[in-house]
Each structure stands twice: as structure tokens, then as C-alpha cells.
Amino acid sequence: MGRGAAFFDLDKTVIAKSSALAFGRPFYRDGLITRRDVVKSAYAQLMFRLGGTDEQTMARTRDYLAALCKGWQVDQVRQIVAETLHELINPYVYAEAAALIEEHQAAGRDVVLVSASGEEMVRPIGELLGVTDVIATRMAVEDGRYSGEVEFYAAGPSKVDAVGELATERGYDLADSYAYSDSYSDRPLLECVGHPTAVNPDRALRKLAVENAWPVLEFRHPVPLGRRLRERPAVPVAAAALGVGVGVAIGIAWYGRHRRTRAAAPTA
């Protein structure tokens, strides 16, 4: 029998918001996306949230977001993210999640972040949490630009395939392993381990957890990641090509509403 590991989804499980949520403004400002892209991205986000467990829906979302990022210069994206990380993302790490990660590590278990966001974003966030192993979406790059192809899309059953490969490589006993997620789309991930837990679950996942007597945790105390940045050594920051596409519309919508509100406010 091998040792167990702990697999954590990222958005709304470890951090209190989408890891790509706030990148809309600088990407729009620097001309990487258009207003038309905003509408399409909003639709893709909605479809993923409403029907993300359907393989055809996930495939359409993957293909659209890959096409959206096609041709972007990797260095430009990295620079934008590096310059705006503290101002716009500043992910809030749930104190409960950070403590749980530390408990698993203290028990001798490897902790793995498993996220549909781009590896370029997930890995630096993981390093800030003291987590070196990640399973995330990988985009193909040609001549310094995103090619529009997805090498690996870390969603749905694909997450389980990657977890299984890692378990075989590392000798993990999945029956003695743990998994945490907020989304019903991660049902395959939760079902592949012996100790699944729903964290801040959506309605469908909460129902599934109740039916299977899975633990349900509510994380409510985010800790600014900036505090951890000051406490840990600096790590390189890059972009989540695919993950940014999923969250980009929400960030732009918020920014536009914020500007309209300010413009409408009466002056003294």
C-alpha cells in the first residue's frame, strides 16, 4: 500500500475568488481582447458554470478560450500579469484551506493543486502556499506566442487521468487520499479518492455530498495573498492563458460598472 496525497481544487476552494477574475481590465486595456470577446467570454463562463460537467460543453469552452488566446505574445502576457498581480488579483487564500494544507503536509502527504486554470498561474500560487505539485491546463507555444492549441485541459475526467498518472508515478494510494472541491464538475476527482470533501459547494455538489455522506466544509476567512508574498521568497509570475479567458469577462464587466458609477456620482 502506498501513501496518500491531498488534491485541492483552486478557485473557491483554496482562494476566495477566481484566480483569473481581475485580469480583464489590463487585457482589454492592452488590446488583447475586444468588446466582442467580452460577450463571448461571458457566455463561455456562463455555459461552463451551468453545464460544465457535460463533455461537449467543456470541449467548446476549451476550444473557444484557446482560440481567444491564439497569437498572444507570452512575454507580453507575463508582463501584464506581473505588473497587475498585487493590484488586481491579490487572491485571498482561505485561512481554513491554508491550515488544512499544512495539516496534510505535517501528516506526510503530498499536496497537489488541481485546476482548469493555466499552469503558468497555478504554479506560482502553489509555490506561495508551499505547494510544489500542480495539475493545470497547459497551452502550446510556438515562437513565443500561444498557438491556439491546448496541450492538456485540466477539467472533468482529464483531471482524474492526470491524478491517476501522478499516483502511479509517485506510488500514492488513492483509497487513502483526499480531494477537495467546490464544483459538481469535479465529481470525477472527488469520486476517485477515498476521502472526498465538498468545500463551499454549489447546489449540485452539495446534493451529491449529502447523498454520499461526504463531509461539507464552509471556508469563510480569506487571508490576503500579499501577506504571504511578504513572508515567503519571491517567485516568478506568469499568465494563465486559458484560465484568464474564463474569468476575463467578469473583470471587465465589474470595471465598466465601476466607471459608470463613478461618472454618475454628483460632484461636490
Side-chain angles (χ1 to χ4, degrees), residues 16-151:
K17 60 173 69 175
S18 167
S19 55
L21 181 66
F23 279 120
R25 184 176 10 153
F27 274 66
Y28 179 63
R29 177 199 65 203
D30 284 24
L32 292 180
I33 58 175
T34 66
R35 292 184 182 276
R36 187 165 179 262
D37 293 327
V38 174
V39 175
K40 286 188 174 182
S41 295
Y43 179 77
Q45 171 75 3
L46 178 62
M47 291 299 99
F48 186 83
R49 295 302 298 179
L50 294 181
T53 56
D54 177 81
E55 290 188 15
Q56 291 185 343
T57 300
M58 287 194 293
R60 288 195 298 268
T61 303
R62 174 201 63 202
D63 294 342
Y64 167 69
L65 295 175
L68 176 68
C69 300
K70 183 178 181 179
W72 291 4
Q73 291 185 0
V74 177
D75 287 344
Q76 179 186 10
V77 174
R78 288 177 176 171
Q79 181 179 355
I80 292 172
V81 175
E83 291 175 350
T84 60
L85 177 68
H86 300 287
E87 175 192 359
L88 298 178
I89 289 189
N90 189 24
Y92 278 59
V93 178
Y94 285 118
E96 299 94 332
L100 192 55
I101 287 172
E102 292 176 356
E103 287 179 12
H104 280 296
Q105 291 172 330
R109 301 185 190 94
D110 289 345
V111 173
V112 184
L113 290 184
V114 187
S115 173
S117 292
E119 183 177 29
E120 299 88 345
M121 177 182 290
V122 178
R123 189 169 297 280
I125 293 176
E127 290 180 2
L128 293 171
L129 292 164
V131 176
T132 58
D133 294 315
V134 304
I135 293 172
T137 294
R138 298 190 302 272
M139 297 287 289
V141 176
E142 294 180 0
D143 299 323
R145 296 177 181 269
Y146 294 112
S147 69
E149 299 294 327
V150 180
E151 291 183 350

Side-chain angles (χ1 to χ4, degrees), residues 237-260:
V237 178
L242 189 63
V244 166
V246 174
V248 77
I250 300 176
I252 294 174
W254 175 87
Y255 179 62
R257 185 170 65 250
H258 177 67
R259 291 194 61 182
R260 289 194 297 273

